[in-house]
Each structure stands twice: as C-alpha cells, then as structure tokens.
Amino acid sequence: MQGWVTLALLLSLGVECSLGQNGVGELPVPRGLTLNPDLPAQTLSLTWQSDSSLFDLEIFHTELMNVVLNETVAVKTDPVTGLHSWTWHSPLPLECTSHSAHIRARNQQSVSQWSPLQTIPGSDIPEKSESNMFPQDKVVPVGSNMTFCCIVKEKEDFKEIMYGRQEMSATRLSRRTYAITATNQPVSGNTGTNVICCSQRLTLTGAVVFVGYPPGDEGLVCETRDLASAECSWKKGRDTGLRMRRSRTKYTLNGRDCLEANERKRWWCSSKAWEQSWTLVARNPLGTVQLTDSAQLTDRVHLLAPVNVTAVEVKAWSATLQWSWSVAAYKKLEMVCQLQLFAHELNSTRNYSGPGLSSVVLESLWPDVDYTVTLYCGSKHGFWKWGDKSAPYRIHTKMDRPDALDVWMWMDSSNTGRVFWKPLSVRKSHGALVGYEVSQSSAEEDGWTPVSLPPGNFSYPIILNNGSDITVAVAARNPAGLSQPSTVTTPAYRADSQLSMSELLSTNGSFVLSWQPNANASSGYAVEWVPTGCSGLCPVDWKKVPESDSSFTLNSDSLVAGVRYTVSVYALSTGAPTLLQRWQGYSQEMTPSQSVRELLPNQSGSDVLLSWKATAMENQRGFIRGYTIYLANAAHLELIANISDPEVQSYRVKGLSLSSYKFVVKAYTSAGEDAGATVAIKMEMDTADMLFVGILVPLGIMFCCLILISICCYKKREWVKKAFYPEIPGPKVPGDWSSPQGPLDVKPSPHSLVHIVESPEWDFTKEGLFPVPEEEEESENDNIEVDADSDEPALLRYYNQVVGDGSHGNQVSDSSGSSNTSVDSTQTEITYAGIQSPTSSQGACGGGGYRPQMQSVIGPAEPQIEFEADFQDDGLHAGYKPQCSWQLDSPEAENFSGSLGSPTSVTSSQFLIPESSEEKPQPSNTWFHNFLSGKS
Amino acid sequence: NHIQNKSFCVHNVCVCTVYLSYLGPPFSDPGFSPPRPNSSSLSVPSAATRVDLWRGLENGARLAQNQRAYSVLLCAVRELARSTLCPYLQSSLMHFCSGLSGLLGSISGLMNALGYTSLPPSTPAQGYAPLLSSQFQNMEGFWVLRELQSWLWRSAKDFTRLKKRLQRLATTVHGLN
C-alpha cells in the first residue's frame, strides 16, 4: 500500500515538474488585449498589459480561422501608458473579412496561456449584405503588389475579379470574400485602373487603384525680374501618372503654397520678396521631393525686354536708337545690352553698357540698307543671363553718294577701244544707281564732253580721231548724288602679233603671274585678261594691283575652262597705261570641241596624202599639241601616225593596195583627242592597169577555161556520152529479126492509136481519159505487155488504191499492144497519147527512144481536146523528161491549166508531167551551156 | 434619331464612346454592364419603364417625364464634364450639354403650347458633392450615358408619336369646324 502511495506522489511531482517546465501557471496571461484598426493604412494596432516583454501573437481570418500571422515579438512596456503596443500591417484590407487576434507571454521556452480572442468585424458580416470591394481609390507606386478583395452580396455567387482587362485568380477568404493580388502594377491611365468583381450574371462591384510615381521634379532656380520679387522655376521631371485632383503633386515654396503650380499646372512659383534661400517641396501620395536654391538678388537679375524701341535719328552711316524700361528700378542698374543687326549679308552684333541704358548710337551702318534691330540686356555685375528680347525694330539708313568706279580701257585696234567699269556692289553704290556719266577729253579739245548712260551699261566705245590719247572719266549717279569720277587714259594699242607672247600654264585652274617691277608704275599695275581673238563687245576683265606688288594670281572663278585668254600687265601712272608683258593661256585645257577642218585625201599611185586644217581657235579649247591619224577598220581604229608638230597638217599614207580606206584624223591637246574627222577613199588603178586587169585578164581566163573544158570533154567523151546521152536499148523482138522476112510494114499499129472518149459510167462532173482501142473487137489481153522497167511497186500500189475506188476501175480497156505503151500488168493502165505516132514520137522526145514512165502524178482528169493540143506544143521543145518526181494533187484551176498536155494516168486521172515552168526539167545540156557562158 | 445623332456625336465621334474609352477597361469593353448605382446621388430617372406602361401614359405625363429626365441628365452630364481631366472630352461634353439644354427648352415650349404644366428650370445643386469613390463615379458616368442614350431613343419615338396624334387631332378639329 505504501508503495502505491509513494508511486502516486512521485507521479504527481513528475506531472507538476513537467507542467512547470511548460510554464503553465507561471507566466501570467497578457491582459486587456485591444485591437485598433487603421483601415486606410491597413494596419492593426494591438495593445495589452503584461509584465513580460516577449510575446507570441496570432492573427486569424476569423471566419475560416486561417492563421495569417504567427509571430514572436519583443515589446517593451510604454513607460507613459504602461501598455504594450504592436502594430501589424496587413496585406489585405482589414474590411475584407473579420480579423481575430490573441496573445500570450513567452519567457524563453515557457509561455503563458493565450489571451481571449479579440475580433474586429469585416464588411462581410451578415449585417452588411451588399457587395463591396476593398481598397477603394488607393494610390500606390508603380511596380508594387496589391491585394484586392471582393465581398459578394448575400445570395449571390462569385465568378471572377478583373484587374483592368486581366482576369485574376481569386482566393476565398470567407463565405462571401474573395481576394486577388496584383503584382508589379503598371502605371494607370487618366482615371486609374479599374478592378471589377463579377458574379455569374452581372457585375457586382468594383474599385479603382491609381498606380503612379512619386514626384520627379528637379532643378530649382530662383531669379528676379523686377529687382525686388522672386520667381522660382524648375523642371517637372518624370510624369507621376497621377491625374486625379487629390493625387496630383502639390508644391510649396518656403512653406507657402505655390498657386501657380498647384492651380495652373505651371512649373514656377513667385514670391513677393527676395529671400536668400529657397526650398521647394513637391509632394504627392507616393512621395516627396525637396529642392533648394540660394543666391543674392544681384546675381539673379533677369531683365525684362526693352519696350518702345525707336530710332530717333537715322543717317546714311549711323542711327540713334532709344528705348524704355517697364521697371523703374532698372534705371540705376549697371547693365550691358546687346544689339543684333540683321541685314542682307550685313549681320552684326554690338555690345553697349551703362547704367540704366536706354539709348545707343549705332555707328558704321551702311547707307540705304534695311536693318532689323533686336535688343536685350543683362546685369553687368554678377551677370546671370540675357534678358528677354525686344520686339524687332526696322531701320532703313539714308542713301549716300556712290563710291568711285573701277574703270579700265581696252583697245581693240589702234584707234578704237572701249572704256569699261565694274558694277558697284550694294556696299559701294549706297543707293540704287540711276545711271553713269562718261566724259572724255583729248589734248586737242578743251573741256569734257559728258554722256549720260542708263544704269545697265558698263562700257562705252571710244574712238581716237587723230591718234592722240583720250582721257575718259566715268562717275556713277544715285539719288544722293554723283560719285567721284574715275579717269583712265587710252593705252597704246599693241596687237598680239607685235609681241612675243609666252604660253601661260595654269596652276589648278589659276594663272600665277609675275613681272619685273616697273619704275613708271606710280599708280600700280593693272592686270587685264580677255578671251584671245575676241572682237567687239568682249568680256574684258581687269584687276588693279598696288605698285608694291609685282605678282598676281588670277583665280579660276574669273576664267572659263577651255577658253584661251590673253593676259596683259600694264604699268599705271598719271598718263596712259604702259604694256609690260602679255601671255596667252588656258586656265583648264579641254579636248577640242570640233575636229580638224577640210580633211582631204589625195591619191598618188599607191599613196594617199591626207591634208587638213586646224579647227578655229574658239573650238580648240587648248593648245593643239599634234595630230593622230588612224585607219578605221570595221571595229576599231588603227593608229598609223602621231604628228607631234601642230604646224604639220598633212600626212602621206604609203603603200596602199587597191581597196577602200577610211582615215580618221584627230587633233589633241593636253586634255586629249577630239572626236576626229573621217575621210574615205577608194584606191583606183591607173587607166592602163584598169584596161589590162579589167578586160584582158578575164578574156584570157575565159579562153583558157574553154580550152580546158574542150580538152576534158574530148578525152572523156565516152563518159559524157554515157552520162548525158545513154544508149537506148533496142527493142527485143521474139523471133528472128535479123533477116527480114518480108518487107517491113511501117504502117502504125492499129493498137497504138489512142482514142479518148468519155466514159458513160464516169461522174459527169469529172472528165477522164480512157484509152480506147481503135478496134474494140480485139481481145484485151492480146496486146498487153508488161513494162518491167517502169512501174515501181509502191507506185503501183498507190495507183491501185486510187483506181480501186473509182467506178471505172474495171473498165480498163486495152492499150496499145506495142511495147511503147506503159500499161502495167493487171491493175493500172497508163497511156501516152499518140506515142506510137512516128512523127509525134520523134518530135516530142528530141533524141527519141524509150522513155520509162516513172512519174506518178495525181491530178484531175482534163478535157481531151486541150490535152491533145498542149501535148503537141510541149513535145516540140521539152526534150527528154525523166518523170521522177511527185506532183501533188491540186484541184485549183491554175494547176489544172498548168498541167495541160501532160501525159495522164488513165485510172488515176493525174497529170504525169507538170507543165509549169518552174518544174519543167531543164534540157540535159543546159548546165553545160551555162557553164560555158559563165552563168551560174 | 435626329436628336440622338445630332447631339450625341461630335465630329463623327460619339461622346459616349470617347467617354467610355476615357474610363478605361472594362468600361470600354463591349457588353460590359456595371451595376446601376443605387444611391440617391444618382437621381437619373431610368428609362427602363415597361413599354406598355409607358405607352399608357398621357401625352402630358410622358412629356413631363421627358422633361424631368433631361433636367437631371443635363446636370449629370455637366458634372461629368466638370470632373473630366481630358480637355478634349470636356469640351465635347460641354458641347453636348448645350444640345441637351436646347432639347429641354423645346420640350418646355411644347408643353406650354399644349397647355401642360412644365417643371420650373432646375438650378445646379450648390455646395460640395459628397466624396464618392472613383469606382462609384465611373459607374455613375457609365450609367448617365447609358440612360441618356435610352432616353434619346425613347424621346425620338415619343415625339414622332405625339406629332402624329396632334396631326390627327388637328385634322379632326379642322373637319369639325
């Protein structure tokens, strides 16, 4: 029994020890836990009383008792209130669902009991039956994550939550609450981002979130415009993306609201008084930016624009400009002003300074010029920046007398010349010119003879009556008056031929001239250049060089490429200019624009002498360095000579044979050859040669040929005879014909005659020839003889087919019983009309003899009468006609008529020998005659 | 149709479309229909009355309802214009308001001519509007425009029907005389 008691005590102690180790009963439970939610901030403040300083906290979503926080925190007692407080930031708006929390004290491993649960109700409690969404109108930075919840109306189902157009996956938090989390949110549009909660059939509710940036303003600068107040400006920086009034950036300058920026959306603020330092605070719901600036007032003067700018006194060469200031304080300010003068090619900028500057004298203006003046000023001491520009003001200066003209005289002969002057530039005319006055005087005449010329003239002709020098004075006139006259005395005329001119080579298109200084050049030198050989109104140009210079570079821009210039240097003095030196040259040589002239060939035996003349100087476009002579072949030019002496203008081409030739002569300069002049020549023989070659030689050749052919024919006469006149085999007659048994009856065989009759069975539309024996009572077979030499099997087959179709095929009558008849064995009957007639047979065949009928010609039948008549004609001149070609059937009348007289197949109705001239066989000796006569 | 086409579109772009684009998705999505705010602040009379009931009304009653609806809608559209941040849309809405104002004047003139009692011209509400959530304002704007569209369609039919009735009546009166 004692043992059981002892065991019970030990167990109880053990339990107590174990309980004591867990802390139950030792650590007091925190008291008075209260929850204070801050709904907009989504924070929950917990306050409680306890002696401990380490606590375990648990927060739940009440309805489903999901733990959303389980944390151990060390919280000290607030010495003032004696309470512990701890704040939890909820990722979920606290309205979304009810939250409950409890707390327990912890001391290392020992903990107290949990305090009773404290709950704050959400908006999903049954008392709030409507749909709702949280948070509403939250402003968050771009890229942040955010949780939205939708509380579904009672008795309504839930389908989805849309973030903009994006369907989000929702999490259920309670019976009616669903939540989504939008991550890395992009910047919103004007009206924020819509988040919409939908049921299966309708949209339930929604919220708007504004996603943007904190202020990005920068670069605060303050300055004064009136030397008293301040204007501070800055750059807006990055757009916050927040448009709604309550989330726009608000600005304060030194603690005062900046109305200009807040109300008028401008990026500057004004202050009535200058302060040493400035602080701008830009604030929006997402952040704050603070900008500072500090400066002395005198260092930040930004002057306003001058007003009432006027020109009080405008002259030809100067003007006085006045203006006023809208701020009285400027009058004592030491300032610097800048004037910008704009005119055509006369732009300039001038600086003026002084206290309260309000007028300046503009010097060094040009007469009769339209100026536009713009004015702006700045503080001279501690210059900050130029002030605003005044409105442009226009000044037109008055006119003045023109400058003296640059005059030169050019003599084109000993007693004629022309005085030239250069047009005055705008800077020198000082007003639009109205004309020129030219006066001349000579030693013999007293006084000047003035002539007025319109403003477009720049030269005037001069004539020397008696060879004495003339002095010409030229002056320009504009509305302001006449310029100083410029005088020039006629220089002595020196023709180019009188001078030894040197060739002037250009350097990069320019002429570099130099000459020996002349003691008489008291007024300097004049360089004159004019196209060589020019007469009349020539483009004379000149340049006057000071007496200290003895060189001059004539630039390419006053020269034309490919034009030869005569360049002269004159020494100028009080009297007439004296010619010092003269050159000729091209600024840039080019190939001649025209070929040589008058290119002529002259045959001399087997040689050809080519002669030509150089092209005109204006077409040479460079110094002619020589000529090249080419022989033109079909595809290319063959160089046959290169004449490097331009004075040589002929060339002899030697040893040419009798043929046609084409020669090309090209002149060349240092730039190359011209296109070339072409001349053609046909080399001809002399008269004696022509007689020999043209007549005797062909005659001799022909004679030799005739003899050769004759000899050849004689020696080969057997072959010739066999080839052209073969032996006609004699008829083989059965029986012994060697000795006459009786007098030869030369009476024609009664069977050899052919009667041509119309067949009563034949189609009346087709007329045919039918051999009809003269004596019909004779048997058909008695006189038929097969001609083994004539009919080819193919031809016979063909005839067979044609004849077989005819209705008259079986009406073949007997032909002649003699061997001359070419009737075939059993199927085809062909006949020669009148072939047995001794007269007609001899006449038709020329040489007579046997004629195998090998030609198969298909053709329509023809009238009997015509056939007989034409055959007779044909037979008189046709000679031997081997019938070895096919003539296609042709129903046309012309072919029909063309075949009249031809031997005709009785059964095929074809012409056997065509009559057309084209197909008429030549007589056997025709080629031989042609050969002898030289015909081809 | 004439009223609707002339007044609801500016420069061939309907204000409704522009405004919904301004509200952003899903308001600008076709077929989107948010819940009609059930708040006293949105006193826009609904045009969703049953057709048979609407047709059963007398001319005077129907004209009076038209007048009341457009008075409220005019104020609502002005508020939309005022709160709009986009200057172009704001000017379009103001232009549309002037058209609505003209329509309202025509209805009043017609009612007076027919001897019906017209409502006194409404004055803009003074004082600060209650602070509403942006979502609520968006939905309200959406519904203002939707109701406006419905009313414009209905008014077009109403005025056509009224014109026929009056012509018939005038013919009858003329025949009796």
Side-chain angles (χ1 to χ4, degrees):
Chain A
M1 185 63 187
Q2 285 182 340
W4 283 107
V5 171
T6 306
L7 182 62
L9 284 172
L10 285 172
L11 284 172
S12 66
L13 283 172
V15 169
E16 280 189 17
C17 283
S18 65
L19 288 173
Q21 286 172 354
N22 291 336
V24 175
E26 290 186 0
L27 285 176
V29 177
R31 305 175 301 277
L33 174 64
T34 56
L35 305 180
N36 297 309
D38 183 347
L39 298 178
Q42 294 183 197
T43 56
L44 184 63
S45 293
L46 292 82
T47 54
W48 66 94
Q49 287 182 318
S50 176
D51 296 330
S52 298
S53 58
L54 191 65
F55 303 93
D56 290 340
L57 287 168
E58 276 189 346
I59 299 176
F60 309 90
H61 287 161
T62 309
E63 199 167 311
L64 300 180
M65 285 306 281
N66 289 333
V67 177
V68 291
L69 179 77
N70 183 359
E71 198 170 321
T72 300
V73 295
V75 180
K76 292 181 179 177
T77 308
D78 182 33
V80 180
T81 60
L83 297 175
H84 296 270
S85 69
W86 187 79
T87 302
W88 171 63
H89 181 270
S90 171
L92 183 76
L94 296 173
E95 303 95 321
C96 290
T97 187
S98 302
H99 288 74
S100 298
H102 61 184
I103 191 169
R104 69 182 179 187
R106 172 179 285 274
N107 186 4
Q108 294 180 347
Q109 297 302 316
S110 60
V111 292
S112 71
Q113 293 279 9
W114 287 104
S115 68
L117 274 174
Q118 296 295 316
T119 300
I120 55 165
S123 294
D124 58 344
I125 56 176
E127 289 78 13
K128 297 180 179 179
S129 61
E130 289 301 314
S131 297
N132 232 326
M133 194 159 201
F134 297 100
Q136 291 283 342
D137 296 346
K138 193 93 170 174
V139 182
V140 294
V142 172
S144 62
N145 302 334
M146 193 170 171
T147 301
F148 297 88
C149 70
C150 171
I151 302 172
V152 181
K153 190 162 73 173
E154 286 285 359
K155 298 177 182 175
E156 197 65 71
D157 57 350
F158 171 81
K159 182 189 174 193
E160 62 183 0
I161 296 175
M162 302 283 294
Y163 182 87
R165 282 201 177 92
Q166 188 181 359
E167 183 181 334
M168 309 290 286
S169 61
T171 306
R172 190 168 193 173
L173 301 181
S174 72
R175 185 174 60 89
R176 291 170 52 203
T177 302
Y178 298 85
I180 62 162
T181 300
T183 57
N184 194 19
Q185 296 179 94
V187 67
S188 301
N190 284 335
T191 53
T193 304
N194 294 299
V195 187
I196 301 293
C197 179
C198 307
S199 71
Q200 291 292 343
R201 53 189 185 87
L202 49 84
T203 303
L204 297 172
T205 182
V208 177
V209 60
F210 299 93
V211 187
Y213 293 98
D217 305 81
E218 57 188 3
L220 176 68
V221 171
C222 295
E223 60 189 19
T224 180
R225 308 301 303 265
D226 56 2
L227 306 180
S229 65
E231 282 185 8
C232 297
S233 60
W234 64 93
K235 293 178 184 174
K236 180 190 172 189
R238 183 178 58 190
D239 185 11
T240 62
L242 303 175
R243 303 274 186 280
M244 303 302 283
R245 185 178 296 274
R246 57 177 173 265
S247 55
R248 269 190 227 145
T249 306
K250 302 290 189 299
Y251 296 94
T252 59
L253 182 64
N254 281 4
R256 298 183 293 273
D257 279 345
C258 178
L259 297 177
E260 293 87 351
N262 295 337
E263 302 296 332
R264 300 173 200 162
K265 297 181 183 177
R266 294 174 183 173
W267 317 119
W268 61 273
C269 265
S270 62
S271 176
K272 289 184 178 178
W274 184 265
E275 298 175 40
Q276 296 296 324
S277 63
W278 304 92
T279 301
L280 177 81
V281 176
R283 179 182 289 115
N284 77 0
L286 298 178
T288 300
V289 166
Q290 186 167 306
L291 307 174
T292 58
D293 185 33
S294 61
Q296 295 290 331
L297 181 143
T298 53
D299 295 338
R300 295 290 177 89
V301 178
H302 185 195
L303 293 179
L304 295 169
V307 293
N308 303 325
V309 178
T310 52
V312 292
E313 189 178 5
V314 179
K315 298 178 182 175
W317 298 91
S318 65
T320 302
L321 203 65
Q322 278 189 351
W323 63 90
S324 58
W325 294 104
S326 55
V327 177
Y330 287 0
K331 291 179 180 175
K332 294 180 180 177
L333 180 70
E334 193 71 32
M335 61 175 68
V336 56
C337 292
Q338 199 163 68
L339 271 85
Q340 286 183 329
L341 287 165
F342 299 99
H344 183 63
E345 297 180 349
L346 291 171
N347 297 340
S348 63
T349 302
R350 304 171 185 211
N351 289 329
Y352 301 90
S353 62
L357 206 60
S358 60
S359 79
V360 293
V361 177
L362 300 173
E363 301 284 356
S364 304
L365 300 180
W366 288 93
D368 193 35
V369 173
D370 236 347
Y371 289 97
T372 300
V373 185
T374 305
L375 172 69
Y376 44 87
C377 301
S379 173
K380 188 174 183 180
H381 302 298
F383 181 83
W384 165 238
K385 61 169 74 167
W386 287 115
D388 296 336
K389 287 185 176 181
S390 67
Y393 182 77
R394 180 173 165 271
I395 299 173
H396 191 95
T397 51
K398 292 183 177 177
M399 293 187 189
D400 196 8
R401 295 198 304 165
D403 284 353
L405 291 165
D406 185 1
V407 182
W408 181 245
M409 191 178 293
W410 180 69
M411 302 299 292
D412 54 358
S413 69
S414 57
N415 57 357
T416 59
R418 184 169 278 270
V419 61
F420 291 90
W421 56 93
K422 292 186 177 177
L424 289 176
S425 63
V426 174
R427 285 201 177 195
K428 291 183 176 178
S429 62
H430 305 159
L433 297 182
V434 296
Y436 299 97
E437 290 197 1
V438 181
S439 309
Q440 55 182 326
S441 70
S442 60
E444 287 74 19
E445 299 175 7
D446 293 335
W448 294 82
T449 310
V451 177
S452 292
L453 296 174
N457 287 26
F458 300 105
S459 67
Y460 186 73
I462 300 296
I463 298 173
L464 305 180
N465 292 326
N466 47 15
S468 61
D469 288 348
I470 288 180
T471 300
V472 180
V474 187
R477 180 181 290 281
N478 71 2
L482 200 62
S483 69
Q484 288 290 330
S486 301
T487 60
V488 63
T489 306
T490 52
Y493 174 71
R494 301 290 296 275
D496 292 350
S497 58
Q498 300 172 341
L499 297 167
S500 59
M501 288 180 295
S502 54
E503 193 173 293
L504 191 58
L505 296 176
S506 67
T507 305
N508 296 327
S510 303
F511 292 136
V512 180
L513 310 172
S514 62
W515 57 89
Q516 289 292 329
N518 191 286
N520 296 327
S522 58
S523 301
Y525 302 93
V527 178
E528 171 204 271
W529 61 95
V530 62
T532 304
C534 179
S535 61
L537 282 173
C538 293
V540 179
D541 205 352
W542 70 95
K543 182 72 178 176
K544 291 180 177 171
V545 180
E547 58 177 316
S548 57
D549 293 346
S550 60
S551 64
F552 177 69
T553 299
L554 186 51
N555 289 323
S556 58
D557 50 2
S558 57
L559 301 169
V560 179
V563 174
R564 185 185 293 187
Y565 283 94
T566 299
V567 184
S568 309
V569 174
Y570 292 87
L572 302 179
S573 60
T574 53
T578 308
L579 179 64
L580 297 180
Q581 200 167 348
R582 183 168 285 176
W583 302 268
Q584 283 190 348
Y586 291 88
S587 68
Q588 183 186 347
E589 291 202 32
M590 302 169 74
T591 59
S593 61
Q594 285 190 359
S595 309
V596 297
R597 297 177 291 134
E598 301 176 24
L599 175 61
L600 293 173
N602 189 10
Q603 182 182 350
S604 171
S606 62
D607 298 349
V608 172
L609 178 64
L610 298 172
S611 62
W612 62 89
K613 291 183 178 177
T615 186
M617 183 185 292
E618 60 268 22
N619 299 324
Q620 291 181 5
R621 306 201 298 178
F623 293 112
I624 300 294
R625 305 296 182 190
Y627 300 94
T628 48
I629 292 104
Y630 296 91
L631 176 62
N633 291 325
H636 67 281
L637 297 177
E638 181 186 346
L639 178 67
I640 56 177
N642 183 357
I643 304 170
S644 57
D645 184 1
E647 301 301 324
V648 176
Q649 295 180 347
S650 65
Y651 181 75
R652 179 178 296 277
V653 186
K654 297 178 179 176
L656 297 175
S657 56
L658 293 182
S659 181
S660 294
Y661 296 95
K662 198 179 280 185
F663 297 101
V664 178
V665 177
K666 296 182 177 183
Y668 61 88
T669 66
S670 63
E673 296 176 335
D674 63 19
T678 304
V679 66
I681 184 172
K682 185 177 182 181
M683 299 295 288
E684 294 177 344
M685 287 184 295
D686 292 340
T687 311
D689 294 344
M690 283 183 66
L691 183 65
F692 177 77
V693 173
I695 299 174
L696 295 182
V697 170
L699 277 175
I701 292 172
M702 205 166 81
F703 182 73
C704 291
C705 287
L706 279 173
I707 290 176
L708 283 173
I709 291 168
S710 299
I711 293 169
C712 184
C713 287
Y714 177 75
K715 286 197 171 184
K716 299 286 183 180
R717 60 186 178 278
E718 291 300 322
W719 177 82
V720 170
K721 184 181 178 185
K722 191 182 288 184
F724 298 104
Y725 298 97
E727 286 289 332
I728 299 173
K732 294 178 180 177
V733 181
D736 185 12
W737 289 73
S738 59
S739 61
Q741 295 176 346
L744 180 63
D745 185 7
V746 295
K747 177 184 170 184
S749 169
H751 302 291
S752 65
L753 296 177
V754 177
H755 283 197
I756 302 173
V757 295
E758 290 184 353
S759 172
E761 290 83 12
W762 188 248
D763 186 354
F764 288 104
T765 60
K766 296 179 180 178
E767 294 177 345
L769 295 177
F770 294 92
V772 178
E774 198 172 84
E775 295 176 7
E776 296 182 2
E777 64 273 11
E778 289 189 18
S779 171
E780 292 179 3
N781 297 326
D782 289 344
N783 299 310
I784 294 174
E785 181 175 333
V786 177
D787 184 0
D789 295 332
S790 62
D791 298 313
E792 294 177 7
L795 301 182
L796 293 177
R797 278 197 297 276
Y798 180 74
Y799 282 130
N800 221 6
Q801 293 167 7
V802 174
V803 172
D805 294 338
S807 60
H808 57 289
N810 296 326
Q811 296 180 2
V812 176
S813 60
D814 185 15
S815 65
S816 168
S818 78
S819 62
N820 293 341
T821 306
S822 303
V823 179
D824 85 321
S825 58
T826 56
Q827 294 129 347
T828 305
E829 290 87 10
I830 303 172
T831 183
Y832 269 95
I835 201 169
Q836 289 294 334
S837 171
T839 54
S840 62
S841 174
Q842 291 296 324
C845 298
Y850 172 66
R851 293 177 185 170
Q853 193 170 4
M854 297 176 65
Q855 184 175 14
S856 298
V857 180
I858 304 170
E862 60 185 16
Q864 179 186 1
I865 298 169
E866 293 180 15
F867 167 78
E868 287 182 343
D870 288 351
F871 180 75
Q872 294 298 327
D873 294 341
D874 182 56
L876 291 174
H877 62 271
Y880 176 68
K881 294 179 181 177
Q883 297 172 356
C884 57
S885 65
W886 283 91
Q887 173 77 19
L888 294 176
D889 184 11
S890 176
E892 274 87 22
E894 53 190 22
N895 290 341
F896 178 82
S897 60
S899 301
L900 293 178
S902 168
T904 308
S905 167
V906 173
T907 52
S908 68
S909 311
Q910 304 298 314
F911 295 109
L912 299 180
I913 301 174
E915 272 299 303
S916 62
S917 59
E918 294 82 5
E919 301 191 8
K920 187 183 292 181
Q922 295 276 339
S924 58
N925 60 348
T926 306
W927 68 272
F928 185 70
H929 289 295
N930 288 344
F931 177 70
L932 290 179
S933 63
K935 292 180 183 174
S936 58
Chain B
N1 288 343
H2 177 73
I3 295 170
Q4 184 192 13
N5 292 338
K6 291 289 283 184
S7 54
F8 218 41
C9 294
V10 179
H11 303 308
N12 293 329
V13 177
C14 289
V15 177
C16 180
T17 307
V18 177
Y19 192 82
L20 292 182
S21 296
Y22 167 75
L23 291 181
F27 291 95
S28 55
D29 294 342
F32 177 70
S33 179
R36 195 172 194 279
N38 191 14
S39 163
S40 59
S41 63
L42 183 70
S43 53
V44 179
S46 173
T49 314
R50 279 166 48 193
V51 176
D52 52 343
L53 294 178
W54 181 256
R55 285 183 178 172
L57 293 176
E58 289 296 324
N59 290 337
R62 205 180 294 130
L63 280 171
Q65 291 219 20
N66 267 288
Q67 188 188 31
R68 177 177 165 275
Y70 286 118
S71 299
V72 176
L73 284 168
L74 178 60
C75 293
V77 175
R78 279 184 179 146
E79 179 58 25
L80 289 186
R82 192 192 61 78
S83 61
T84 299
L85 299 170
C86 173
Y88 171 76
L89 180 60
Q90 196 166 41
S91 67
S92 298
L93 286 169
M94 292 307 292
H95 180 77
F96 178 62
C97 283
S98 63
L100 267 186
S101 185
L103 174 64
L104 203 54
S106 299
I107 295 173
S108 301
L110 183 62
M111 291 178 71
N112 289 335
L114 294 175
Y116 303 127
T117 307
S118 63
L119 294 172
S122 62
T123 53
Q126 299 295 321
Y128 292 101
L131 189 62
L132 300 171
S133 73
S134 299
Q135 182 63 27
F136 187 89
Q137 291 175 12
N138 290 352
M139 288 187 181
E140 189 177 61
F142 180 92
W143 275 102
V144 165
L145 294 177
R146 172 171 282 193
E147 288 295 346
L148 189 56
Q149 203 165 21
S150 301
W151 271 106
L152 287 169
W153 276 107
R154 168 171 284 179
S155 299
K157 291 179 183 176
D158 285 348
F159 291 139
T160 306
R161 192 176 294 117
L162 182 62
K163 183 182 173 185
K164 287 180 181 174
R165 283 188 187 179
L166 291 177
Q167 282 177 339
R168 213 178 299 137
L169 183 64
T171 308
T172 308
V173 171
H174 185 69
L176 289 174
N177 291 337

